[in-house]
Amino acid sequence: MAWYTTDSVLTKSDGNKDWWKTTYSPGDEVPVSGIYRCLGCEREVTCNDPDHFPPQNHHQHTGVQGKIRWRLNIRTNTTGKTS
Ligand SMILES: [Zn+2]
């Protein structure tokens, strides 16, 4: 969960792009810059295209949390373009 205020400027996406639907593993290439949420523990990280996601030892999970898997939560506008 990311936080925002009423002064924040956010644009709702239709979510149709693959980067909204894909789950990424540690070390995968980051498809778009943004805030990614770990599906196992809700931790968030900021990652930039074309860097790689943090390695497997970035943080530890309990057994029930499973493997680290990243899902895009907030896409950031790093180009200044509006689409
Ligand atoms: Zn996690």
Side-chain angles (χ1 to χ4, degrees):
M1 176 183 71
W3 291 265
Y4 69 97
T5 72
T6 55
D7 293 330
S8 299
V9 178
L10 299 172
T11 302
K12 184 170 176 51
S13 170
D14 60 15
N16 284 336
K17 299 286 189 184
D18 284 346
W19 51 66
W20 291 110
K21 306 173 195 171
T22 304
T23 300
Y24 300 96
S25 297
D28 283 354
E29 187 172 324
V30 176
V32 291
S33 299
I35 300 171
Y36 288 80
R37 176 175 50 89
C38 176
L39 299 179
C41 70
E42 305 297 320
R43 180 187 302 250
E44 293 172 327
V45 292
T46 54
C47 295
N48 291 312
D49 168 23
D51 295 344
H52 293 264
F53 287 98
Q56 184 67 45
N57 64 357
H58 177 260
H59 64 280
Q60 300 298 313
H61 279 179
T62 63
V64 296
Q65 291 174 321
K67 294 181 178 177
I68 295 173
R69 295 157 292 138
W70 300 108
R71 180 71 66 92
L72 182 61
N73 195 31
I74 301 284
R75 183 179 174 205
T76 52
N77 180 356
T78 57
T79 65
K81 297 176 184 172
T82 56
S83 60

